[in-house]
Amino acid sequence: MRKWNTTATVTNQQGDTGTATTPVCADDPQAATTGIANKLQSEGYKVDHVVVKPAGPCDHQH
């Protein structure tokens, strides 16, 4: 797994738009995009756009 920095443009339930920047551990950029989009949607945000950039090895403990 690799670490990816994700920056998502999101809209909350009140219609306010902003960005959420979150590191994600995933096998590839598509998995990182899907993972963060699903997490943000489950928290009530509408995800408009996600940018993913590599950030090195994953540093969490298994």
Side-chain angles (χ1 to χ4, degrees), residues 10-18 43-46:
V10 296
T11 304
N12 68 15
Q13 293 174 347
Q14 291 75 37
D16 300 319
T17 299
E43 294 175 358
Y45 293 96
K46 177 181 178 255

Side-chain angles (χ1 to χ4, degrees), residues 9-61:
T9 304
V10 296
T11 304
N12 68 15
Q13 293 174 347
Q14 291 75 37
D16 300 319
T17 299
T19 57
T21 301
T22 310
V24 175
C25 288
D27 289 327
D28 56 53
Q30 182 62 41
T33 300
T34 301
I36 196 60
N38 288 343
K39 180 177 185 332
L40 291 167
Q41 288 170 349
S42 75
E43 294 175 358
Y45 293 96
K46 177 181 178 255
V47 179
D48 300 312
H49 182 72
V50 178
V51 175
V52 178
K53 294 183 180 176
C58 203
D59 54 11
H60 74 280
Q61 298 295 322

